[in-house]
Coordinates of all heavy atoms in Angstrom, one line a residue:
K485 N -15.3 21.4 14.0 CA -14.9 20.5 15.1 C -13.4 20.5 15.4 O -13.0 20.4 16.5 CB -15.3 19.1 14.7 CG -16.9 18.9 14.7 CD -17.3 17.5 14.3 CE -18.8 17.3 14.3 NZ -19.2 16.0 13.9
L486 N -12.6 20.6 14.3 CA -11.1 20.7 14.6 C -10.7 22.0 15.2 O -9.8 22.1 16.0 CB -10.4 20.5 13.3 CG -10.4 19.0 12.8 CD1 -10.0 18.9 11.4 CD2 -9.4 18.2 13.7
V487 N -11.4 23.1 14.8 CA -11.1 24.4 15.5 C -11.5 24.3 16.9 O -10.7 24.9 17.8 CB -11.9 25.5 14.8 CG1 -11.8 26.8 15.5 CG2 -11.5 25.7 13.3
E488 N -12.6 23.7 17.3 CA -13.0 23.5 18.7 C -11.9 22.7 19.5 O -11.8 22.9 20.7 CB -14.3 22.8 18.8 CG -15.5 23.7 18.3 CD -16.8 23.0 18.1 OE1 -16.8 21.8 18.3 OE2 -17.8 23.6 17.7
L489 N -11.2 21.8 18.8 CA -10.1 21.0 19.4 C -8.8 21.8 19.5 O -7.9 21.3 20.2 CB -9.9 19.7 18.7 CG -11.0 18.7 18.8 CD1 -10.7 17.5 17.9 CD2 -11.3 18.3 20.2
G490 N -8.8 23.0 18.9 CA -7.6 23.8 19.0 C -6.8 24.1 17.8 O -5.7 24.7 17.8
L491 N -7.3 23.8 16.6 CA -6.7 24.1 15.3 C -6.4 25.6 15.2 O -7.4 26.4 15.4 CB -7.5 23.5 14.1 CG -7.0 23.9 12.8 CD1 -5.6 23.3 12.5 CD2 -7.9 23.5 11.7
Q492 N -5.2 26.0 14.9 CA -4.8 27.4 14.6 C -4.4 27.5 13.2 O -3.3 27.2 12.8 CB -3.7 27.8 15.6 CG -4.1 27.7 17.0 CD -3.0 28.2 18.0 OE1 -1.9 28.3 17.6 NE2 -3.4 28.4 19.2
P493 N -5.3 27.9 12.3 CA -5.1 27.8 10.9 C -4.0 28.8 10.4 O -3.8 29.9 10.9 CB -6.4 28.2 10.3 CG -7.4 28.0 11.4 CD -6.7 28.4 12.6
H494 N -3.3 28.3 9.3 CA -2.5 29.2 8.5 C -3.3 29.5 7.2 O -3.7 28.6 6.5 CB -1.2 28.5 8.1 CG -0.3 28.1 9.2 ND1 -0.5 26.9 10.0 CD2 0.8 28.7 9.8 CE1 0.4 26.8 10.9 NE2 1.2 27.8 10.8
L495 N -3.5 30.8 6.9 CA -4.3 31.2 5.8 C -3.5 31.4 4.6 O -2.3 31.7 4.6 CB -5.1 32.4 6.2 CG -6.0 32.3 7.4 CD1 -6.7 33.6 7.6 CD2 -6.9 31.1 7.3
L496 N -4.2 31.1 3.4 CA -3.5 31.1 2.1 C -2.9 32.5 1.9 O -1.8 32.6 1.4 CB -4.4 30.8 1.0 CG -3.9 30.8 -0.4 CD1 -2.7 29.8 -0.5 CD2 -5.0 30.4 -1.4
S497 N -3.6 33.6 2.2 CA -3.1 34.9 2.0 C -1.8 35.2 2.7 O -1.0 36.0 2.3 CB -4.1 36.0 2.4 OG -4.4 35.8 3.7
D498 N -1.5 34.5 3.8 CA -0.3 34.7 4.6 C 0.9 33.9 4.1 O 2.0 34.2 4.4 CB -0.6 34.3 6.1 CG -1.7 35.1 6.7 OD1 -1.8 36.3 6.3 OD2 -2.3 34.6 7.6
S499 N 0.6 32.8 3.3 CA 1.7 31.9 2.9 C 2.0 31.8 1.4 O 3.0 31.2 1.1 CB 1.4 30.5 3.5 OG 0.2 30.0 2.8
L500 N 1.1 32.4 0.6 CA 1.3 32.2 -0.8 C 2.6 32.7 -1.4 O 3.3 31.9 -2.1 CB 0.1 32.9 -1.6 CG 0.1 32.8 -3.1 CD1 0.0 31.3 -3.5 CD2 -1.0 33.5 -3.7
L501 N 3.0 33.9 -1.0 CA 4.2 34.5 -1.6 C 5.4 33.8 -1.2 O 6.3 33.4 -2.0 CB 4.3 36.0 -1.2 CG 3.4 37.0 -2.0 CD1 3.5 38.3 -1.4 CD2 3.9 37.0 -3.5
D502 N 5.6 33.5 0.1 CA 6.8 33.0 0.6 C 6.9 31.5 0.5 O 8.0 30.9 0.5 CB 7.1 33.4 2.1 CG 6.0 32.8 3.0 OD1 5.0 32.3 2.5 OD2 6.2 32.9 4.3
S503 N 5.8 30.8 0.3 CA 5.8 29.3 0.3 C 5.6 28.7 -1.1 O 6.3 27.8 -1.4 CB 4.8 28.8 1.3 OG 4.8 27.4 1.3
L504 N 4.6 29.2 -1.8 CA 4.3 28.6 -3.1 C 4.9 29.2 -4.3 O 5.7 28.6 -5.0 CB 2.8 28.6 -3.2 CG 2.0 27.7 -2.2 CD1 0.5 27.9 -2.5 CD2 2.4 26.3 -2.3

Side-chain angles (χ1 to χ4, degrees):
K485 294 182 179 179
L486 284 162
V487 173
E488 290 168 357
L489 289 178
L491 173 64
Q492 298 179 346
H494 299 82
L495 302 182
L496 180 59
S497 58
D498 298 333
S499 64
L500 180 60
L501 281 175
D502 63 349
S503 181
L504 295 178

